[in-house]
Amino acid sequence: MESHATESLLRWIVLVPLLAAAVGGLLNRRLPKQVAGLLACGAVGVSFALSVTVFLRLTRMPAAERFVSDTMGTWIGFGNLQIDLGFTMDPLSGVMALVVTGVGFLIHIYSLGYMAHDEGFGRFFAYMNLFIFAMMTLVLGENMLMLFVGWEGVGLCSYLLIAFWFNDEANAAAGKKAFIVNRIGDFGFLLGIFLIGTTLLPHLAEGEGLFSFRTLQHHAGIMAPVATAICLLLFLGATGKSAQIPLYIWLPDAMAGPTPVSALIHAATMVTAGVYMVARMNFLFVLSPTAMGVVAAVGVVTAIFAATIALTQNDIKKVLAYSTVSQLGYMMLACGVGAFGIAIFHVMTHAFFKALLFLGSGSVIHAMSNEKDMRVMGGLKKKLPITFWTFLIGTLALAGIFPFAGFFSKDEILWKTFSSELGGVLPWALGFLAAGLTAFYMMRLVVLTFFGENRASAEVKSHIHESPATMTMPLVILAVLSLVGGWIGWPHFMGGGAWFEQWLAPVFSSGHGAAAHGAAVHGAAAGEAVHDTMMEWILAGASLAWGLIGLGVGYFVYMKKISIATSLRNLGGGVPYKILLNKYYVDEAYEGTFIRPGYLLSKNVLWKIVDAGLIDGLLVNGSALVVAITGSVLRLFQNGMVRFYAWSFTIGVTVFVLYLSFSG
Amino acid sequence: MSLITDHILTWVTFLPLLGSVLLWTIVRRDSHARIFALVVALADFVLSLHLWFHFDSSRGDDQFVEKVAWLFNGQISYHMGMDGISLVLVMLTTFLGPLVILSTWKAITDRVPEFMAFLLFLQAAMLGTFFARDMLLFYVFWEVMLIPMYFIIGMWGGQRRIYAAVKFFIFTMVGSVFMLVGILYLYFQAGSMNLFDFLEVALGHEAQLWLFAAFFLAFAIKVPVFPLHTWLPDAHVEAPTAGSVVLAAVLLKMGIYGMLRFAMPLFPDGVAFFAPAISILAVIGIIYGALVAMVQPDVKKLVAYSSVSHLGFVVLGLFSLTPLGVAGGIFTMIAHGLSTGALFLLVGVIYERRHTRQISEFGGLAHEMPVFATFFMITTLASVGLPGMAGFIGEFMILFGTFGSETLAHAKLMTILATTGVVLGAIYMLWMYQRVFFGKLANEKNKGLPDLSLREIAVLLPIVIFMFWLGVRPGLILDKVEASVATVLAPLNGGPILTDDPGHHALRAEPEPGQDHPVFIVRDTENQ
Amino acid sequence: MEITLTHYLLLAMTVFLTGMVGFVVRRNAIVMLMCVELMLSSVNIVFAAYSRFHANADGHVFVLMNFAVAAAEAAIGLAILVEIFRRRRTVNVDDLKALME
């Protein structure tokens, strides 16, 4: 093993939020709200500060050696199975750590205002801190199993926070659905881990951590024969967590949770864990073109699929939720075409602008007395100016308008899709189409919410007010980040240095088999540079124009000519609209094919017939019955007549003696 | 002090029995009986701590051995010993003992001294079973265990307690009788009842199959392995809380322990022959138990079926015949003992307050009883196998071990099917949790229910702490059992087997009491 | 005439059959008890005879033990019968069926 620097601050990045969660959770209502809020925000703040410290240390190291670790001893040690309890930070996890703690910190601040009047204030912040703990474990974990701990941990926090207002059974059901759908993904993830483990275990040196990412990367070649199977299994896990087809169904329902939760967990951080995991395992994925193809295909199909659903939703958070699914599709697409660095770039920019959009929608919902239906909103531009302007910035960033953050990452994804040998024109075209739809539905959202006349009741109208500073300040910061956050990835063809991609390059170019692929990703500009630059300009211009068209059409339709929307809705007898509105009936299909039949089978066949009827009734009580019948025959002999017994005994003995005498 | 430490296993085993006798004879007041029983159980726990801290983890053989000739010139002896596997199960037993007694403070008001006496009696029998290295001694403890459990269910149980108690008794008895025949057969072959003499008997292939079947049946009923499980839901539903806890946490583990200690090392051919079939039963048990648990209207029955599912994992791990799978099985036993024990305690808490366990009667309890809801949530997650808690480590090791098993047929397929149990486990537990705790507090009867008392928290907190502790530091268990697992599995790989008598072949020495330095010898097998 | 082992055995058999027939045909519990005693005595005779025949004392040991058992049995049996008679005013075994099932 190569030597590397140790950094004992790493563990505190993870443990400080855990401690705060424990204190906050145990004391809960005994803690005054101010103290609980301060504790929670402080903990995440400390975590962020520590992340920055360690990150800066990384930047001072030579590019190839940017790696610090902090081992807290053995976790599972049995025979030659050695799994450590430790944390590491390299350029990839460093970026993720900054995003998670940074955006997390802002959302915590925002929550101080948003949740101020909630009776579950202390509980909320305890869960949020627990989430940061789990997410940081996921990001900084030294090995796959630590990652899995965080993976399940964020799933748990997601469950707890979606079901936060458990008074309403629907919220609780949504939380449960999220957890269970994720578990289905974990099923694949676990099997992937097993396959990795059994493949590697015989080849390990003494004391080498089996699932440590370094070990995996070092021995990637050994896993080449089963790389496709491993990657597909891992990817099943990623589709659960990152809400890809076919396991995306939980994410829209997850909007039942408080809005800061939607922003933090279901937009900025947790849902990107799947992308992070795929990027983390890049050295395996590049070994299997099949798996890469599946990742790209699922990604791009999800992107367009979710974008079409978002066109018709009326719940402001549902639109954003489907938008998130769609954007996660983009990230997966980037991974699938080998542009892992760009995927993480989009993770980061998306974290900024989607967190901003969710927090903005939270501000709107807050102002509208918890109304989420856009049909009764409108005209909020004047009353919520900060919210409006920041929201608009977020919308522009999401629509991919230059020079907002989304432009850089989304454009790079589309370019890499187009230019990579793993991509092609068709996936590019689908992604391009989805980008236009994104711009359209976001404009629809903005217009319905902020423009025109307010359609709410007078009662609600009278309460509309701009949110307090604890809520608007994070909005402003995120808006700034949504604007400038993309500039660190300013591409080469526009005269930039693509610094972000360079920063991550060491992570994605080492290991076996990655060399060839590295050329495809990073050297794309090297070969046929002139021609490519030309093409890049054209595509960038096209996608910018396409985004503007989407925005323009959206504005025109919903602001000026609402009749167009109505006639679109009635297109084809209203059937396409109905299908989209009902999200392609996927939930109903799952319900009809798996859930109801599974439940009925278990209840009526397995329990009532097999268990109670066959096993217990026929076999168990049946044999008891045989014994009982035999007994009831035999009981005739026990009649209490002493002389009957005496005779029986005498006769019996006589027969026995005679038998002995004559049998010789 | 050496009076105690030289015969520590005897002390640990018979201290509860002594307490039990005193409860029958001298301590007759209810309040005295409770405190007395608690003190005895605590003292037993303290004694067992000596075992924990003086156990040498580097050795896989028996330690603290006590051996005294008993009958027939020492052919049958009072032979007690303890290896790592016994150790962890003993610690689980003595750890839960005081907690179980504390949990009955309010729940049992009728014939308290007798109840406490039975509990302590049961504990003594269970501990003896884990220590016994003489087959007759083992059989005595094994069977004696039934008696207190029978009375605990039959006298303090619910509506159909007699049915459940008799069913429990007969089920277990039927299996044990076959095992007794097997033991007698081996006794006549080996000329002694000593387990280590049994291990040296060269058995024919045919004989091994039959004997394995006889032993396995006895243990499989106790586990219980599908389809021998139907006594379990009845026994659990009818048993009082303390009975359910002991039943789930320790008694079920007897079956696994028996397989591991006796059925598997003694009959390698039998294991090889039956392992595929058994692993299929185990996988069926995992999925079937989970599916049936999902549709139960009664919380306790749900937990009972979840035990069928969890123990399916353990059996699968055992018959993967990999050290990893077996150690994972042992770990899961401990984890399941904690989580399911805690679940039964929690169900008992709500039953004491509402006298019903129907899920439909509840809903929204998190409003009235937040602390209870929190404990229940943590326990639910532990049971589901959330990483970072104890259940995950065991399940992971079992599945990983099975996946990599080279001896088990269709190991990969088995693992894939078994892993679906992880998904199903989340479904039935979380769905139950949602229906009991979330939603509106609709049922008037649930209004104003008191939250957990300090006593109830004192019962649950130690268990919860260990759920986390073992999840983060599984080495606590794994280090203790690693060498022992290798020893137990050795006969299955044709490796060296353990004997406690170095001069066994040369001259038949009189067994020396207190001899505690066994050595390895290589068995003369045909393939060498 | 010399009295041989055979004579003793014939005597023992006669006594035993007397006891056995009495035991199965009589209904009075006291008589039945006495018949049992008769059978025991016949066994004692056999023991004593064989003891003499083999010229060792083992048989006598058993005889003495049988005496003790018979005495104890008779004492307990009669005590039970007295108690039964006090409660039921009868010792006719056909009337005593409480042991049924």
Side-chain angles (χ1 to χ4, degrees):
Chain A
M1 290 292 287
E2 48 217 302
S3 65
H4 46 73
T6 58
E7 176 59 78
S8 54
L9 284 183
L10 275 178
R11 72 181 65 169
W12 296 111
I13 298 178
V14 180
L15 292 181
V16 167
L18 176 66
L19 292 176
V23 173
L26 287 177
L27 298 180
N28 199 357
R29 286 179 200 179
R30 259 161 255 153
L31 227 50
K33 277 188 179 180
Q34 293 90 333
V35 179
L38 200 67
L39 175 77
C41 295
V44 184
V46 168
S47 202
F48 178 60
L50 292 175
S51 302
V52 171
T53 314
V54 182
F55 190 83
L56 288 176
R57 193 176 156 196
L58 277 188
T59 57
R60 289 193 299 271
M61 293 171 155
E65 293 166 23
R66 283 181 186 138
F67 183 85
V68 292
S69 72
D70 179 16
T71 304
M72 296 161 73
T74 302
W75 181 25
I76 305 178
F78 189 85
N80 55 349
L81 174 69
Q82 169 78 28
I83 301 169
D84 281 342
L85 204 59
F87 304 103
T88 59
M89 191 190 274
D90 65 351
L92 172 59
S93 46
V95 168
M96 289 297 287
L98 288 186
V99 170
V100 171
T101 51
V103 175
F105 180 60
L106 291 176
I107 294 174
H108 270 73
I109 302 272
Y110 176 91
S111 309
L112 286 179
Y114 193 84
M115 301 298 288
H117 307 297
D118 199 286
E119 59 171 326
F121 190 83
R123 189 163 59 93
F124 177 81
F125 276 101
Y127 289 164
M128 290 289 269
N129 274 348
L130 190 65
F131 171 78
I132 296 285
F133 156 73
M135 191 68 204
M136 292 314 287
T137 309
L138 192 160
V139 169
L140 297 179
E142 184 261 356
N143 54 58
M144 288 205 75
L145 230 52
M146 292 285 291
L147 188 152
F148 190 67
V149 170
W151 188 269
E152 290 278 296
V154 291
L156 164 69
C157 297
S158 162
Y159 164 74
L160 292 172
L161 284 164
I162 295 169
F164 183 74
W165 289 313
F166 55 77
N167 210 353
D168 187 350
E169 187 103 20
N171 296 350
K176 186 196 63 177
K177 182 174 173 184
F179 196 84
I180 289 167
V181 171
N182 269 300
R183 271 261 157 156
I184 296 172
D186 298 343
F187 164 77
F189 195 173
L190 266 180
L191 289 174
I193 292 178
F194 297 151
L195 191 51
I196 289 176
T198 43
T199 316
L200 266 194
L201 199 55
H203 302 278
L204 282 194
E206 182 79 19
E208 226 176 341
L210 173 57
F211 292 109
S212 156
F213 293 115
R214 297 226 118 185
T215 314
L216 297 182
Q217 189 154 4
H218 191 245
H219 295 290
I222 297 170
M223 289 178 277
V226 285
T228 303
I230 292 176
C231 292
L232 289 178
L233 288 169
L234 293 182
F235 183 61
L236 179 59
T239 57
K241 192 98 336 184
S242 284
Q244 300 292 292
I245 292 172
L247 297 181
Y248 71 93
I249 46 164
W250 63 271
L251 184 58
D253 288 20
M255 295 303 129
T259 305
V261 173
S262 309
L264 177 62
I265 301 183
H266 305 118
T269 56
M270 183 189 86
V271 288
T272 60
V275 181
Y276 169 75
M277 191 263 282
V278 173
R280 175 53 77 200
M281 303 303 288
N282 67 83
F283 47 85
L284 273 183
F285 276 86
V286 296
L287 294 175
S288 167
T290 317
M292 292 291 270
V294 171
V295 173
V298 168
V300 73
V301 171
T302 305
I304 187 105
F305 179 82
T308 54
I309 299 178
L311 292 175
T312 58
Q313 298 303 306
N314 291 319
D315 181 324
I316 183 168
K317 285 179 75 180
K318 284 269 163 76
V319 176
L320 291 175
Y322 279 105
S323 160
T324 305
V325 175
S326 173
Q327 295 302 309
L328 290 165
Y330 274 108
M331 299 172 202
M332 281 299 177
L333 172 64
C335 289
V337 298
F340 298 104
I342 304 303
I344 297 301
F345 187 30
H346 198 56
V347 165
M348 187 188 77
T349 56
H350 178 257
F352 296 151
F353 59 69
K354 193 50 73 62
L356 169 61
L357 290 173
F358 264 114
L359 294 185
S361 76
S363 181
V364 169
I365 294 165
H366 200 65
M368 294 290 295
S369 312
N370 288 328
E371 181 57 63
K372 293 179 188 168
D373 194 333
M374 294 188 295
R375 284 170 297 190
V376 297
M377 293 181 181
L380 295 174
K381 190 170 63 167
K382 292 269 163 51
K383 292 192 170 146
L384 309 173
I386 305 177
T387 306
F388 167 68
W389 284 109
T390 51
F391 200 93
L392 193 63
I393 292 173
T395 304
L396 294 174
L398 176 56
I401 305 301
F402 182 85
F404 294 95
F407 168 77
F408 296 95
S409 51
K410 190 186 270 183
D411 189 56
E412 276 293 285
I413 290 176
L414 289 175
W415 165 243
K416 288 284 151 65
T417 309
F418 183 80
S419 63
S420 163
E421 58 215 67
L422 292 160
V425 177
L426 179 66
W428 173 82
L430 287 173
F432 187 74
L433 182 62
L437 293 178
T438 308
F440 177 78
Y441 67 68
M442 281 313 293
M443 204 57 197
R444 168 175 177 263
L445 191 156
V446 169
V447 171
L448 286 177
T449 311
F450 291 102
F451 290 86
E453 284 301 307
N454 194 291
R455 301 176 286 277
S457 64
E459 162 74 15
V460 171
K461 247 182 216 167
S462 63
H463 286 116
I464 296 176
H465 58 283
E466 179 62 290
S467 303
T470 48
M471 288 167 70
T472 51
M473 195 183 64
L475 289 180
V476 172
I477 297 175
L478 284 170
V480 172
L481 287 171
S482 301
L483 175 59
V484 305
W487 297 353
I488 54 170
W490 202 287
H492 289 292
F493 78 99
M494 291 170 80
W499 301 281
F500 189 84
E501 219 183 328
Q502 268 179 19
W503 168 254
L504 288 178
V507 182
F508 298 128
S509 59
S510 53
H512 295 264
H517 148 80
V521 178
H522 306 289
E528 302 181 59
V530 183
H531 177 253
D532 275 4
T533 308
M534 201 54 215
M535 199 65 209
E536 243 181 308
W537 274 110
I538 295 170
L539 290 185
S543 67
L544 178 59
W546 182 231
L548 287 171
I549 291 170
L551 290 176
V553 171
Y555 185 79
F556 179 73
V557 169
Y558 286 94
M559 198 65 201
K560 308 282 181 206
K561 291 282 276 188
I562 198 73
S563 57
I564 300 180
T566 320
S567 53
L568 277 176
R569 205 175 291 172
N570 294 328
L571 207 68
V575 174
Y577 174 76
K578 214 167 166 202
I579 290 175
L580 288 182
L581 188 66
N582 289 300
K583 308 142 199 166
Y584 294 98
Y585 296 98
V586 173
D587 275 322
E588 288 76 6
Y590 281 145
E591 175 84 19
T593 47
F594 296 118
I595 302 167
R596 293 292 322 155
Y599 178 79
L600 293 176
L601 173 86
S602 303
K603 181 164 184 158
N604 297 334
V605 179
L606 289 184
W607 182 33
K608 295 269 166 70
I609 296 182
V610 177
D611 213 61
L614 210 62
I615 297 176
D616 212 33
L618 195 65
L619 297 181
V620 175
N621 289 335
S623 35
L625 192 66
V626 171
V627 173
I629 291 170
T630 320
S632 64
V633 173
L634 290 177
R635 81 202 290 179
L636 296 177
F637 292 96
Q638 189 172 347
N639 54 10
M641 300 279 285
V642 177
R643 291 194 314 127
F644 174 76
Y645 297 159
W647 271 112
S648 315
F649 180 75
T650 312
I651 293 166
V653 168
T654 312
V655 169
F656 188 64
V657 167
L658 287 177
Y659 171 77
L660 280 184
S661 317
F662 291 107
S663 68
Chain B
M1 202 56 199
S2 67
L3 182 70
I4 294 178
T5 50
D6 286 354
H7 304 282
I8 182 74
L9 299 189
T10 303
W11 277 98
V12 170
T13 310
F14 289 97
L15 184 71
L17 191 66
L18 187 69
S20 174
V21 171
L22 289 177
L23 278 167
W24 276 112
T25 50
I26 297 173
V27 190
R28 301 304 300 165
R29 289 261 296 276
D30 285 4
S31 52
H32 293 177
R34 288 190 182 110
I35 291 169
F36 179 77
L38 183 64
V39 168
V40 170
L42 276 173
D44 204 35
F45 177 59
V46 171
L47 275 182
S48 66
L49 283 178
H50 175 87
L51 299 176
W52 181 262
F53 289 112
H54 289 81
F55 182 81
D56 178 0
S57 310
S58 62
R59 285 166 47 192
D61 55 341
D62 283 341
Q63 301 180 26
F64 308 103
V65 174
E66 291 171 42
K67 190 170 177 184
V68 184
W70 182 16
L71 298 170
F72 306 133
N73 283 333
Q75 284 183 0
I76 297 172
S77 57
Y78 174 76
H79 184 175
M80 306 275 266
M82 190 192 75
D83 65 353
I85 301 168
S86 298
L87 172 68
V88 294
L89 290 167
V90 164
M91 291 313 294
L92 178 70
T93 313
T94 56
F95 169 71
L96 287 175
L99 301 179
V100 166
I101 287 171
L102 196 58
S103 79
T104 64
W105 231 245
K106 293 252 170 62
I108 302 293
T109 49
D110 179 31
R111 286 169 291 189
V112 178
E114 284 83 353
F115 186 81
M116 296 297 173
F118 276 130
L119 270 184
L120 289 176
F121 184 28
L122 182 61
Q123 180 162 340
M126 294 187 300
L127 292 169
T129 314
F130 290 133
F131 289 139
R133 293 296 182 267
D134 183 277
M135 289 305 281
L136 189 75
L137 191 62
F138 167 77
Y139 191 78
V140 168
F141 281 125
W142 173 269
E143 290 291 293
V144 157
M145 216 159 47
L146 290 180
I147 298 166
M149 201 65 215
Y150 174 80
F151 283 110
I152 286 174
I153 298 175
M155 293 176 73
W156 287 273
Q159 300 258 305
R160 299 170 69 224
R161 56 181 179 268
I162 304 295
Y163 171 77
V166 170
K167 196 169 175 180
F168 162 75
F169 197 91
I170 290 177
F171 246 101
T172 325
M173 199 70 197
V174 166
S176 309
V177 169
F178 287 106
M179 179 169 71
L180 182 61
V181 174
I183 291 176
L184 288 175
Y185 178 87
L186 281 167
Y187 169 68
F188 289 118
Q189 300 283 311
S192 131
M193 275 287 186
N194 196 319
L195 171 63
F196 300 100
D197 293 335
F198 279 17
L199 280 167
E200 286 178 39
V201 174
L203 289 166
H205 179 74
E206 193 90 342
Q208 286 202 34
L209 299 192
W210 283 106
L211 288 168
F212 179 82
F215 273 69
F216 181 78
L217 185 66
F219 298 135
I221 287 174
K222 203 84 155 193
V223 170
V225 173
F226 176 89
L228 304 168
H229 63 275
T230 55
W231 64 269
L232 184 70
D234 282 321
H236 269 315
V237 169
E238 299 308 325
T241 300
S244 287
V245 174
V246 177
L247 186 61
V250 187
L251 227 62
L252 302 187
K253 275 68 182 184
M254 292 293 169
I256 304 285
Y257 174 79
M259 289 180 196
L260 197 53
R261 171 78 60 218
F262 305 107
M264 293 171 66
L266 284 173
F267 318 113
D269 285 9
V271 174
F273 184 80
F274 286 108
I278 293 170
S279 63
I280 290 171
L281 287 182
V283 169
I284 293 178
I286 291 170
I287 297 173
Y288 178 89
L291 288 176
V292 177
M294 186 169 72
V295 296
Q296 294 305 316
D298 179 314
V299 186
K300 220 171 174 187
K301 223 166 183 173
L302 186 149
V303 180
Y305 276 106
S306 86
S307 286
V308 175
S309 186
H310 281 290
L311 287 159
F313 277 107
V314 180
V315 174
L316 182 67
L318 240 52
F319 284 87
S320 75
L321 305 181
T322 58
L324 204 58
V326 172
I330 295 167
F331 199 93
T332 300
M333 283 203 269
I334 306 297
H336 173 263
L338 294 176
S339 64
T340 307
L343 275 176
F344 279 123
L345 287 170
L346 288 161
V347 175
V349 165
I350 192 67
Y351 185 74
E352 267 177 54
R353 286 163 173 62
R354 283 281 277 104
H355 297 285
T356 179
R357 291 182 296 252
Q358 296 297 312
I359 294 175
S360 55
E361 286 282 317
F362 302 119
L365 284 188
H367 293 281
E368 292 292 322
M369 309 170 74
V371 179
F372 178 63
T374 308
F375 271 101
F376 211 115
M377 171 56 77
I378 293 171
T379 312
T380 299
L381 295 168
S383 173
V384 164
L386 190 82
M389 303 186 77
F392 170 70
I393 307 282
E395 272 178 18
F396 174 77
M397 289 177 69
I398 289 171
L399 293 171
F400 186 37
T402 310
F403 195 80
S405 173
E406 284 157 9
T407 45
L408 186 64
H410 310 301
K412 302 255 186 308
L413 178 67
M414 292 293 163
T415 314
I416 292 170
L417 291 173
T419 310
T420 59
V422 176
V423 180
L424 295 172
I427 294 178
Y428 65 75
M429 288 307 288
L430 290 184
W431 193 36
M432 180 268 281
Y433 191 86
Q434 179 196 331
R435 286 178 293 164
V436 173
F437 288 96
F438 289 159
K440 286 192 184 59
L441 191 71
N443 194 332
E444 282 295 323
K445 290 181 201 149
N446 292 330
K447 295 237 164 88
L449 287 182
D451 208 340
L452 290 188
S453 68
L454 273 179
R455 175 183 61 82
E456 286 159 336
I457 291 176
V459 171
L460 291 164
L461 198 60
I463 304 181
V464 168
I465 288 173
F466 268 97
M467 285 175 196
F468 283 110
W469 193 352
L470 289 179
V472 180
R473 288 282 177 223
L476 211 60
I477 302 283
L478 295 179
D479 291 348
K480 302 278 182 197
V481 301
E482 185 164 357
S484 305
V485 167
T487 310
V488 167
L489 286 180
L492 293 163
N493 309 323
I497 54 163
L498 191 65
T499 171
D500 70 328
D501 191 355
H504 183 79
H505 288 299
L507 66 162
R508 194 144 194 109
E510 282 300 310
E512 293 171 45
Q515 175 187 7
D516 59 352
H517 289 289
V519 294
F520 283 99
I521 65 154
V522 176
R523 180 164 59 158
D524 305 319
T525 48
E526 297 80 26
N527 53 3
Q528 274 177 340
Chain C
M1 188 183 77
E2 194 188 352
I3 303 201
T4 63
L5 180 66
T6 316
H7 295 102
Y8 286 106
L9 292 182
L10 284 173
L11 171 65
M13 196 175 82
T14 315
V15 175
F16 188 85
L17 285 176
T18 312
M20 194 172 87
V21 172
F23 182 70
V24 294
V25 299
R26 297 301 300 265
R27 292 167 193 190
N28 188 314
I30 295 177
V31 176
M32 288 171 76
L33 199 64
M34 287 167 70
C35 289
V36 171
E37 297 296 322
L38 269 184
M39 287 190 274
L40 274 172
S41 300
S42 80
V43 173
N44 279 345
I45 293 169
V46 175
F47 270 127
Y50 270 107
S51 182
R52 173 83 183 180
F53 181 73
H54 289 304
N56 85 25
D58 287 3
H60 288 97
V61 174
F62 280 103
V63 171
L64 284 172
M65 216 172 103
N66 265 353
F67 278 148
V69 172
E73 182 213 320
I76 294 171
L78 285 171
I80 292 171
L81 284 176
V82 167
E83 190 58 30
I84 288 176
F85 185 75
R86 276 193 190 146
R87 288 173 187 228
R88 301 278 188 100
R89 311 308 299 175
T90 175
V91 288
N92 186 335
V93 291
D94 285 357
D95 298 335
L96 302 172
K97 283 199 231 168
L99 273 179
M100 189 169 80
E101 309 242 324

